[in-house]
């Protein structure tokens, strides 16, 4: 059986399947800017523009041409990495987004790791003690977590840990003013500081990262813990677990090799959903903690009706999300042997 | 027996009085069982009723005018006369929190209603007939899902214009995929069930099979989805107004109140952000808890 | 493995030979479950023993507690179940009070188990070879170095072809029969002394069933193992077991040697069960208990005048092709749009030039193993599925030419009805029994039928023997037999001419099956219907049908009068089918 090749081809097919999603995302973003009621040129010129500059922008963006042609122009611009200029700063949107992206990614990934580290053991614990107090406690924490508006949790944490207790640094950005940001390698401050052996800066960056990351993690705890619990419960009651127990396999083998590995598959699929939540909540958390990521950039742009910046943000978030989903899909393909039969 | 015959003679549906009464009775009994056996559900249900009452009668319950400013009592911490304190303009935070209930509920109820109706129609048809409609609607849903949903909502409101209606539409659009997918999956697994084939043999048309036989059975998971989504819809709407979209000040709304209070929290005036935030949290919490409870009530297999 | 465990392993390898000649002794075992409605006793006061090398059959219908008994013996009850009282001793070890770690030692090594539904019994994402290794290494029967070789050896032992390749297979890549062989391999991997087989062949074809059970018999005999065979099928149990115990509602009602029990069943329940088991030479009426009240038939319909020389149904050169596509999609892909591969436009021919006739008032059995095309054929005749080619002439009209969609609302729809395989699946969970039965009346009946619906439903309930008090109940509040009656009432609501019975009793207990089969026979005469009985079980088909069609691989293998075909099969395949049916000893009259 030629398992490796068929698995490779499955991965290739998954890559292919991401293309329509990518195309759809571009079309929707394009439509959001061009095909809606109102004058897009006026949108792009910003509220302060006069009639002449609006006309100028209309021409420069090709808005006087038919829609399909505009779309081709849009695609061509995108291919060159061109997303227009921000009206408030005058800077190219694409450059600004790329500069700010590492900050957002650092926060998102750290929060997600934190969430996974808490949610998965919690789900397993709840599933192995169904109906017991520990199960109810987990369920309560999880339901409360998903009910917390992230912007509210963030503020509450700031109030308690910064204002009342003074444990946390001031909620302004990625690094206190007293420190110099480390030379960019990965763009993640904590890792970059560690790479040059600057433990103090790494610690300061981590301290800044902690509260926003906890805020985000609390929110994403619920889907992960719930799914872990549900799938673990389902797997534990399935017949092959009974077979494994009847064959006298040790508790660790039954739970780990047999139950958990099966239960983790649906958890991986929910990761996509969780990423969607996290990237959205990211915007709010960045605003609360003045985090210099692409989310706070978009919020600032929204306030001054800087549409080129907002649309650039929406598109780049969507592209990022498509890429993350692709990674999740490929991960799944690698873990689940049954997947080759699909499609 | 006479009643039944009368109904049948009048050409009424075959659900006669006796069976209807009996079914209502068992239904009530079941609801009571679910509520009493699970105190959490009972709590959620009580909270839900309270929130609805606040939503309907809020303006009459609120002790002060939510918009009346009074600079002399600005930024007062909670006290007996102002339970939740006052804001920077001297407005009563409690009154504003109470009155905001209606707007927040209205936005999410409208959004969820739109996405439920549209999502179940699209999902049911796609799940039952398959074919080109399934492919096209699937692509469409996939495209929506290819965006981080809150970000898409931001983009939609930014493009459509910054109004409350557009918040509703944006929230509805980002909720649509959930209903469409649940409906599609639930309809699809029942498409070839024995009772569906039997219904076809009994002369039901495809549309009737879908509407009268399959869809009612797909409803319980949809109901749970509604309850869970209500909380999420409220969160989204409040999140959008937190970043300055949709509702404008001075309209009382939880998200915008938290945003306004955020500026004061680092200087210790916590009540302006915490109380509306807590109200928001409680509402979402209620709907999430209700989602679990609802499943037990709606699922007929749980009844004995 | 700790030294303690190894020592312990030695002691239990040598059960005390002097004190007892029995490997297992169970005394007054009672098992209780805590449920929403309080404590339920699933097994009450059950005692039995198994001698070394003996095969014991535990026979009972659903809910008799036969499986729970074996789970209790293995101490693998669900979390809400517990052993309330009684003793279980295995080779001098008190299983009831043994520690969990002792039990883990015993499971798999001393006592092991084979389950029904073999595919679900294996870890879906672990190579089958690895699963074998897990068990052997757990009990110290293999080391990391020699585990693979030993696993392949085991695969050879259970007669799996290309064991080296199959070692790397996942369960989904194997057939049901092969999966069951793997499950057997897991169970015998550590040469246990007792093998418990819980409905090991349910869901498998009759020829596969024979192969699997023969293999189990051979392996256990070779290793001197004792076996417990748990089954609902008395015929099967008697063919493979030395001794039988019969359970009913958690209690043992009778215990005797297999031949003895058939010759002289002592308990009324055993007698009823033996009577109800279809067997050669028994008439359908023989299946019912002797003291059964005869059903009061409603006034028989005046036999209609049938057109001379024309069959009710004539199927000519029927063909059905399916486009070949990937097997069942997975849950997570259910949401995603299906991607049909446009390369390889191959088709799978499910039904191949099939010809068949059914006369007025005749019953024809359509028999074959899973995948033979019998269900596809019945769906096409039923006009739920459009044939690729061929004609279906029903009562003189070519209904095959009518698209399935149009047929659904045509006047012929009411004349062709069906009773489905799974009575639970075939009733709308949100419809009461009354609504289900009335549905066809409202949809296909004229205005006067609709006005008269209530009276008609009552009469239908009478005809199928469904108490009227149950009409307002939902399916989940009805028993299997009652649900089957609702399904039959719905099917005959509009006086069909042809009724397709798709394994109508496959999901029912044998005693209920006997009643339902008799009901069907009565109704056929009363309503002057023809039957097309689709089944895998020749023994059941024989009871109801005058003619049998044997299908294999989409084609007709053999057709003939039932008695002639069964006593003198013309093809090798039919002979094989017949010989695979387990034959219980003849019952003393």
């Amino acid at each position: 059986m030629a398992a490796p090749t068929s698995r490779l081809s499955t991965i290739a097919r998954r890559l292919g399947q991401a293309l329509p999603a990518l195309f759809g995302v571009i079309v929707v973003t394009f439509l959001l800017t061009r095909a809606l009621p109102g004058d897009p040129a006026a949108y792009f010129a910003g509220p302060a523009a006069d009639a002449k500059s609006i006309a100028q922008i209309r021409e420069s963006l090709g808005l006087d041409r038919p829609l399909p042609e505009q779309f081709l122009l849009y695609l061509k611009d995108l291919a060159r990495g061109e997303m227009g200029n921000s009206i408030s700063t005058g800077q190219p949107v694409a450059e600004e987004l790329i500069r700010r992206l590492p900050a957002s990614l650092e926060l998102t990934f750290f929060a997600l790791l934190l969430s996974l580290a808490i949610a998965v053991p919690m789900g397993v614990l709840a599933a192995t003690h169904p109906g017991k107090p520990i199960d109810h406690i987990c369920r309560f924490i999880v339901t409360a977590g998903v009910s917390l508006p992230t912007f509210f949790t963030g503020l509450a944490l700031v109030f308690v840990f910064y204002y009342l207790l003074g444990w946390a640094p001031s909620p302004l950005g990625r690094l206190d003013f007293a420190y110099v940001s480390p030379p960019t390698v990965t763009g993640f401050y904590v890792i970059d500081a560690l790479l040059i052996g600057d433990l103090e800066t790494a610690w300061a960056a981590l301290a800044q990262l902690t509260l926003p990351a906890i805020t985000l993690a609390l929110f994403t705890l619920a889907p992960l813990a719930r799914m872990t619990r549900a799938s673990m419960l389902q797997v534990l009651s399935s017949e092959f677990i009974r077979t494994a127990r009847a064959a006298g396999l040790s508790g660790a083998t039954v739970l780990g090799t047999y139950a958990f590995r099966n239960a983790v598959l649906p958890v991986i699929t929910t990761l996509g959903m969780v990423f969607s939540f996290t990237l959205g909540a990211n915007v709010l958390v960045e605003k609360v903690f003045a985090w210099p990521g692409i989310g706070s950039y978009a919020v600032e742009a929204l306030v001054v009706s800087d549409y080129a910046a907002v649309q650039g943000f929406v598109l780049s978030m969507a592209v990022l999300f498509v890429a993350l989903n692709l990674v999740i899909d490929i991960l799944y393909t690698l873990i689940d042997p049954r997947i080759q039969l699909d499609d | 027996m006479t009643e039944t015959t009368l109904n049948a003679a009048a050409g009424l549906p075959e659900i006669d009085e006796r069976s209807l009464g009996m079914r209502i009775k068992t239904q009530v009994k079941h609801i009571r069982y679910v509520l009493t056996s699970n105190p959490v559900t009972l709590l959620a249900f009580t909270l839900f009723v309270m929130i609805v009452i606040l939503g309907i009668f809020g303006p009459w319950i609120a002790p002060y005018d939510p918009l009346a400013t009074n600079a002399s009592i600005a930024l007062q911490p909670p006290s007996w006369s102002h339970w939740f304190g006052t804001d920077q303009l001297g407005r009563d935070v409690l009154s504003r929190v109470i009155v905001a209930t209606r707007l927040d509920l209205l936005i999410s109820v409208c959004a969820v209603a739109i996405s439920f109706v549209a999502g179940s129609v699209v999902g049911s048809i796609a799940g039952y007939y398959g074919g080109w409609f399934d492919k096209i609607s699937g692509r469409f849903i996939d495209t929506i899902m290819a965006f981080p949903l809150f970000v898409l909502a931001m983009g939609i409101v930014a493009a459509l214009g910054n109004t409350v209606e557009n918040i509703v539409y944006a929230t509805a659009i980002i909720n649509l995929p959930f209903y469409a997918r649940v409906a599609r999956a639930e309809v699809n697994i029942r498409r070839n069930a024995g009772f569906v084939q039997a219904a076809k043999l009994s002369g039901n048309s495809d549309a009737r099979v879908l509407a009268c036989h399959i869809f009612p059975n797909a409803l319980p998971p949809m109901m749970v989805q509604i309850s869970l989504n209500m909380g999420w819809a409220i969160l989204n709407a409040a999140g959008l107004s937190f970043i300055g979209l949709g509702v404008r000040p001075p309209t009382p709304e939880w998200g915008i109140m938290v945003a306004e209070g955020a500026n004061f929290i680092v200087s210790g005036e916590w009540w302006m952000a915490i109380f509306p935030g807590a109200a928001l949290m409680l509402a979402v919490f209620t709907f999430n808890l209700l989602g679990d409870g609802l499943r037990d009530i709606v699922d007929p297999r749980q009844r004995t | 493995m700790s030294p303690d465990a190894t020592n312990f392993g030695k002691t239990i390898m040598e059960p005390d030979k002097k004190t007892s000649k029995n490997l297992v002794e169970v005394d007054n075992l009672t098992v209780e479950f805590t449920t929403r409605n309080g404590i339920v006793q699933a097994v009450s006061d059950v005692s039995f023993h198994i001698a070394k090398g003996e095969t014991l059959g535990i026979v009972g219908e659903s809910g008799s507690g036969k499986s729970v008994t074996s789970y209790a013996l293995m101490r693998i009850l669900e979390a809400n179940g517990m052993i309330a009282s009684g003793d279980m001793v295995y080779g001098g070890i008190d299983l009831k009070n043994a520690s969990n770690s002792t039990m883990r030692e015993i499971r798999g090594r001393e006592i092991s188990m084979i389950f029904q539904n073999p595919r679900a019994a294996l870890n879906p994402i672990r190579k089958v070879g690895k699963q074998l290794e897990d068990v052997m290494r757990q009990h110290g029967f293999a080391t990391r170095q020699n585990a693979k070789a030993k696993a392949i050896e085991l695969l050879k032992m259970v007669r799996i072809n290309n064991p080296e390749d199959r070692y790397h297979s996942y369960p989904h890549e194997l057939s049901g029969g092969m999966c069951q062989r793997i499950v057997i391999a897991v169970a015998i991997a550590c040469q246990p002394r007792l093998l418990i087989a819980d409905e090991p062949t349910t869901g498998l074809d009759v020829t596969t069933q024979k192969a699997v059970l023969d293999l189990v018999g051979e392996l256990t005999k070779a290793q001197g193992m004792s076996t417990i065979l748990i089954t609902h099928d008395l015929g099967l149990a008697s063919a493979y077991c030395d001794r039988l115990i019969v359970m009913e509602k958690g209690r043992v009602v009778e215990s005797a040697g297999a031949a003895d029990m058939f010759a002289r069943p002592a308990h009324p329940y055993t007698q009823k069960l033996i009577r109800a088991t279809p067997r050669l030479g028994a008439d359908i009426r023989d299946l019912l208990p002797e003291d059964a009240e005869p059903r009061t038939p409603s006034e028989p319909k005046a036999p209609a005048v049938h057109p001379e020389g024309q069959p009710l149904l004539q199927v000519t050169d029927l063909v059905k092709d399916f486009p070949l596509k990937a097997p069942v999609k997975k849950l997570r892909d259910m949401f995603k749009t299906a991607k049909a591969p446009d390369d390889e436009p191959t088709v799978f021919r499910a039904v191949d030039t099939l010809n068949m006739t059914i006369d007025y008032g005749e019953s024809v059995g359509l028999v074959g193993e899973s995948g033979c095309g019998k269900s596809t054929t019945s769906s096409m005749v039923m006009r739920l599925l459009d044939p690729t080619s061929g004609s279906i002439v029903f009562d003189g009209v070519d209904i095959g030419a009518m698209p399935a969609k149009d047929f659904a609302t045509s006047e012929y729809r009411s004349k062709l009805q069906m009773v489905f395989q799974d009575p639970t699946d075939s009733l709308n969970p949100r419809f009461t029994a009354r609504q289900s039965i009335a549905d066809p009346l409202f949809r296909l009946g004229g205005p006067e039928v609709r006005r008269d619906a209530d009276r008609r439903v009552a009469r239908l309930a009478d005809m199928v023997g469904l108490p009227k008090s149950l009409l307002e109940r939902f399916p989940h509040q009805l028993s299997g037999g009652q649900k089957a009656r609702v399904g039959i009432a719905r099917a005959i609501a509009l006086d069909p001419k042809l009724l397709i019975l798709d394994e109508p009793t496959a999901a029912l207990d044998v005693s209920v099956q006997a009643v339902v089969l008799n009901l069907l026979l009565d109704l056929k005469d009363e309503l002057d219907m023809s039957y097309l009985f689709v089944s895998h079980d020749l023994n059941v088909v024989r009871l109801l049908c005058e003619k049998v069609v044997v299908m294999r691989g989409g084609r007709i293998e053999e057709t003939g009068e039932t008695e002639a075909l069964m006593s003198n099969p013309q093809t090798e395949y039919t002979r094989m089918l017949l010989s695979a049916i387990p034959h219980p000893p003849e019952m003393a009259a």
Side-chain angles (χ1 to χ4, degrees), chain B residues 1 4 8-9 14-16 18-19 22-23 30 33 134-135 138-139 142 181 184-185 188-189 193-195 197-198 200-204 206 208 212-213 216-217 220 298 300 302-303, chain C residues 36-37 334-339 379 382 384 405 408-409 413 416-418 420 425-432 434-435 438-440 442-444 450-451 454 472 474 476-477 490 494:
Chain B
M1 193 63 205
T4 353
E14 77 283 16
I15 308 163
D16 55 84
R18 182 189 50 194
S19 76
M22 210 171 99
R23 266 194 284 165
H30 182 69
Y33 172 82
D134 185 25
K135 286 206 174 93
R139 268 281 159 265
D142 281 352
R181 284 183 175 186
R184 183 184 182 280
N188 205 20
I189 51 170
F195 75 86
Q197 300 207 344
K200 285 184 190 165
L201 292 187
S202 300
N204 291 276
D206 274 341
R208 209 186 151 85
C212 301
H213 287 266
N217 281 293
V298 175
Q302 302 267 338
R303 245 178 282 151
Chain C
R36 183 165 145 169
N37 300 321
M334 218 143 70
F335 308 138
K336 297 186 176 162
T337 358
K339 276 226 164 169
S379 288
M382 202 71 254
L384 286 170
K405 239 175 82 186
T409 46
R413 175 72 288 161
L416 257 172
Q417 289 289 320
M418 183 156 176
F420 292 86
D425 179 57
S426 67
L427 294 181
N428 187 335
R430 306 197 137 254
F431 273 23
T432 58
R434 175 188 298 281
Q435 284 173 301
D439 198 33
F442 280 97
R443 301 283 82 77
L444 290 171
R450 253 172 276 168
R451 259 196 302 282
D454 230 64
E472 311 309 332
F474 289 98
H476 68 274
Q477 297 162 325
R490 173 178 59 190
L494 293 164

Side-chain angles (χ1 to χ4, degrees), chain C residues 52-160:
Chain C
K52 281 161 206 142
E54 189 187 31
T55 302
L56 175 73
I58 303 183
V59 183
E61 299 186 300
S62 53
S64 62
K66 57 192 191 301
S67 289
V68 173
T69 306
S70 65
Y71 294 167
L73 193 61
M74 290 282 265
R75 291 255 310 271
I76 51 169
L77 289 169
E78 313 259 316
N80 63 342
M82 67 162 211
I83 299 166
S85 63
D87 288 312
M88 308 183 299
V89 178
Y90 166 83
I93 300 164
D94 179 1
L95 293 181
K96 189 187 157 208
N97 298 311
S99 70
N100 281 335
S101 63
T102 310
M103 280 318 293
R104 248 198 320 273
E105 283 294 319
I106 290 175
R107 288 183 209 129
R109 177 165 184 171
E110 297 294 320
I111 310 177
S112 66
M113 209 160 168
I114 306 172
F115 298 92
Q116 59 176 315
N117 196 357
R119 205 183 292 276
L122 292 168
N123 186 345
I125 60 165
R126 198 162 170 79
K127 289 176 178 173
V128 293
K130 289 277 176 208
Q131 300 191 39
L132 285 172
E133 287 183 16
D134 287 339
V135 181
M136 288 188 289
R137 290 181 59 190
Q138 176 76 41
H139 296 292
F141 266 73
T143 59
R144 185 190 289 274
Q145 287 75 34
N146 65 9
K148 185 169 176 182
K150 286 207 169 192
I152 290 172
E153 207 174 292
L154 265 177
L155 290 175
K156 253 183 228 155
M157 222 151 108
V158 291
R159 313 243 172 76
I160 287 198

Side-chain angles (χ1 to χ4, degrees), chain A residues 261-338:
Chain A
R261 276 197 208 165
N262 275 284
V264 92
L265 292 171
V267 178
I268 291 176
T269 22
T270 28
L271 267 184
M273 208 55 247
V274 169
F275 262 118
S276 174
F277 282 150
T278 319
L279 292 176
N282 209 24
V283 177
L284 301 169
V285 174
E286 285 186 13
K287 185 181 183 229
V288 170
F289 290 91
W291 197 260
I294 57 174
S296 57
Y297 174 68
V299 173
E300 284 159 28
L302 267 178
V303 173
V304 295
S305 304
D306 184 349
Y307 287 97
V310 174
Q311 301 309 345
F313 161 75
V314 172
L315 181 62
S316 51
M317 276 295 217
V319 171
L320 182 67
F321 184 49
V322 170
L324 285 172
N325 270 328
L326 188 64
V327 171
I328 291 168
D329 263 2
I330 290 175
L331 198 66
Y332 198 104
T333 313
L334 291 177
I335 296 181
D336 192 344
R338 291 164 296 184

